[in-house]
Amino acid sequence: MTARETACLPPIERSVEVSWEQRAAFDRFCHRFAEWWPVATHSIGEHRVERLVFEPRVGGIICEEHFDGRRFQWGTVTLWDPPNRVGFSWHPSRDPVTAQEVEVTFSMSPKGTLVTLRSWGWERWGKGAKSARRGY
């Protein structure tokens, strides 16, 4: 894949409306990350994962820890604005220079909270970017 082809990859944006109030939605996403993240299908270690970590602060790490003590970093928190938005880099099991940027916003809606995830920087992934992005 050429640099021009990967530079043309647009951001991914997805939204979902949840019934929780804004603060609760933000807290569930960040502070209770390990409760909803699908470890069995979206982790490096699958059944070897003991716990997920999402450190709630700018500079905090997002990682998985295995039962044998190994730790695999997925990203770093880059924006912390409770209960409005959180941002982080995303590079599970890859070099951080290949990371995508992710920003999740939480805004009041008639049914509770609109949660919008936006991910960009896919071209940094390089050769695997287009196929990895295809699932989104």
Side-chain angles (χ1 to χ4, degrees), residues 67-82:
F67 287 104
D68 65 7
R70 290 183 300 156
R71 188 177 230 201
F72 295 88
Q73 189 167 346
W74 294 359
T76 303
V77 178
T78 57
L79 172 69
W80 187 253
D81 179 22

Side-chain angles (χ1 to χ4, degrees), residues 16-36 54-58 62 77-88 102-108 112-116:
V16 63
E17 198 168 19
V18 296
S19 61
W20 313 304
E21 63 96 29
Q22 187 177 351
R23 170 69 65 181
F26 182 91
D27 287 346
R28 285 179 187 222
F29 186 91
C30 299
H31 296 289
R32 295 170 67 184
F33 181 75
E35 293 177 21
W36 62 266
F54 190 113
E55 295 178 343
R57 61 181 169 78
V58 170
I62 303 167
V77 178
T78 57
L79 172 69
W80 187 253
D81 179 22
N84 304 304
R85 57 195 181 131
V86 62
F88 47 91
V102 178
E103 184 173 334
V104 183
T105 59
F106 302 83
S107 54
M108 291 187 306
T113 301
L114 180 65
V115 181
T116 301

Side-chain angles (χ1 to χ4, degrees), residues 49-70:
V49 175
E50 180 174 21
R51 74 182 191 124
L52 298 181
V53 176
F54 190 113
E55 295 178 343
R57 61 181 169 78
V58 170
I61 64 163
I62 303 167
C63 71
E64 67 182 58
E65 293 179 349
H66 293 189
F67 287 104
D68 65 7
R70 290 183 300 156

